[in-house]
Amino acid sequence: MANIGCIGICTGGGDAPGLNAVIRAAVKSAILKYKWKVIGIPDGFDGLIWPEKSRELTLKDVSGILPRGGTILGTTNRGDPFHYKTIENGKEIVRDISDEVIANSHKLGIDAVITIGGDGSQKIALELFEKGLKVVGVPKTIDNDLCATDITFGFDTALHTATDAIDKIHTTAESHHRVMVIEVMGRDAGWIALEAGIAGGAHVILIPEIPFSLQRICDYVAEREGYGKRFTIVVVAEGIKLPSELRQLARGGSVGNLIGDGIALTAHKEVRVSVLGHIQRGGSPSPFDRILGTRFGVAAVDLIAQGGFGKMVCLRNTRIESVNIADAVGQLRTVDPQGELVRMARAIGICFGD
Ligand code: F6P
């Protein structure tokens, strides 16, 4: 058993539904099971630059937060203490303030820190661990792209939100005989597009992992017209790799709009585009994400008690386990173009534009 009296918790990177479930579970189990004090660090590691902004989290502070989206601690996806950016005399200065951050955590009496975050936040956590800070990671992201865990919390809620949007767009697409393009998040991984596309009955799904051509999409729209289907739902992942014919037209806007314009011009169809954006990150977490977040929060506290520093909790084959953060970061889990989900989608006629 590690000698612990006080732990800190911080949330880093883009928010994801379920963060509050992790915080609540960690606070409850730290206090009730281990009698530790818990300090909430605001806005990722930025909170340790100004330690006076950190505050104790009591059972009262986490009461009622389970169904709330976002994070009661605040977050940032720009706060890297190893490359901390400030503007001095009108110039951007980048400094390494990691020593200060570690010293401030000691000043606050923190023995170990739970860092809840995606790949970027876990990389920072690993560097801090290598400099002596005792950290335990919890994987988070709606993108579901961390290789060390079968699933991250936040993904299931985002999937529900995107599927619900596709369902709603379906009826208006059919009524107006239009091509409807829906752009979803996911960064460089196509999980949200693939799974929401399948769940929402999309006809075309474009993901970063499968190269596509505009002509193939337009031919597919024409094939559907040929058998009386006068509308088409196209789900586009934000991270798709544009084919050369579209790259020339790209002006830095959304890829969904680009695909929509391309189809309108080539297939001569009426097209409408919806970019779902940050609604996928918001809202109340699904029951799955609340339960997974709670399991992760409790497991992270147990890992600290066992002295499992430099590790991250994860889900493998329905069991909560842990991995070295060093083995968990830097390698993204993307969609396998030959995998069962893609093969199943192809078997029911879904077009990937290839
Ligand atoms: O990683 C989560 C995510 O929502 C991605 O899907 C998306 O590309 C990105 O964050 C958006 O980040 P921001 O909130 O900075 O616009």
Side-chain angles (χ1 to χ4, degrees), residues 20-335:
N20 285 327
V22 183
I23 296 167
R24 171 179 172 271
V27 169
K28 282 190 160 203
S29 113
I31 294 174
L32 298 174
K33 189 169 170 189
Y34 295 102
K35 314 274 179 270
W36 296 340
K37 181 177 169 183
V38 185
I39 304 239
I41 301 164
D43 302 334
F45 294 110
D46 273 13
L48 287 174
I49 303 170
W50 299 279
E52 62 282 1
K53 290 191 180 170
S54 295
R55 64 190 167 97
E56 184 172 350
L57 291 177
T58 63
L59 294 177
K60 194 161 168 256
D61 292 309
V62 295
S63 175
I65 68 170
L66 180 62
R68 271 172 61 184
T71 158
I72 60 162
L73 294 175
T75 186
T76 171
N77 50 14
R78 287 183 306 275
D80 178 352
F82 293 90
H83 301 93
Y84 190 71
K85 291 181 187 150
T86 47
I87 304 290
E88 286 170 28
N89 302 323
K91 266 191 170 171
E92 187 180 84
I93 308 285
V94 182
R95 272 184 302 166
D96 177 354
I97 55 160
S98 54
D99 286 334
E100 213 177 301
V101 159
I102 293 174
N104 285 338
S105 77
H106 294 147
K107 264 188 218 158
L108 286 165
I110 293 172
D111 298 311
V113 179
I114 296 178
T115 60
I116 315 170
D119 194 65
S121 306
Q122 299 305 344
K123 274 184 196 151
I124 297 168
L126 176 63
E127 283 187 79
L128 290 170
F129 169 68
E130 284 163 352
K131 288 192 83 167
L133 188 70
K134 291 176 175 151
V135 300
V136 158
V138 175
K140 163 244 63 168
T141 167
I142 64 161
D143 305 334
N144 203 24
D145 60 357
L146 294 189
C147 65
T149 184
D150 291 350
I151 191 160
T152 51
F153 72 84
F155 174 68
D156 184 67
T157 308
L159 183 56
H160 274 76
T161 302
T163 304
D164 183 49
I166 299 168
D167 283 348
K168 287 181 170 137
I169 285 169
H170 226 114
T171 52
T172 171
E174 196 164 5
S175 306
H176 283 265
H177 320 298
R178 284 171 170 159
V179 174
M180 301 296 266
V181 176
I182 302 126
E183 181 189 310
V184 298
M185 281 185 167
R187 220 180 276 269
D188 296 319
W191 293 110
I192 298 177
L194 177 63
E195 296 202 17
I198 292 169
H203 310 109
V204 180
I205 301 175
L206 304 180
I207 57 175
E209 296 85 350
I210 301 182
F212 66 93
S213 78
L214 181 61
Q215 192 56 54
R216 176 67 196 116
I217 302 166
C218 294
D219 290 347
Y220 183 83
V221 170
E223 280 163 31
R224 279 178 58 77
E225 298 260 332
Y227 54 82
K229 296 281 187 184
R230 296 168 63 201
F231 74 104
T232 300
I233 305 282
V234 182
V235 174
V236 179
E238 64 175 355
I240 50 166
K241 314 274 182 303
L242 292 174
S244 56
E245 69 269 22
L246 283 172
R247 231 175 291 143
Q248 292 160 10
L249 302 173
R251 300 271 179 276
S254 86
V255 289
N257 280 308
L258 196 60
I259 297 289
D261 289 347
I263 297 173
L265 283 171
T266 314
H268 307 293
K269 281 286 294 179
E270 196 173 20
V271 181
R272 293 290 185 272
V273 178
S274 300
V275 179
L276 297 191
H278 289 77
I279 66 161
Q280 294 160 97
R281 289 230 304 255
S284 185
S286 66
F288 179 89
D289 282 336
R290 293 181 199 191
I291 295 168
L292 183 61
T294 302
R295 292 173 80 189
F296 278 167
V298 168
V301 167
D302 285 341
L303 203 51
I304 290 179
Q306 292 151 16
F309 306 117
K311 289 179 178 280
M312 183 183 86
V313 297
C314 61
L315 185 78
R316 283 190 172 155
N317 299 320
T318 75
R319 285 163 55 96
I320 301 291
E321 296 181 1
S322 67
V323 283
N324 290 326
I325 300 178
D327 298 328
V329 297
Q331 211 190 325
L332 292 184
R333 195 176 71 88
T334 52
V335 174

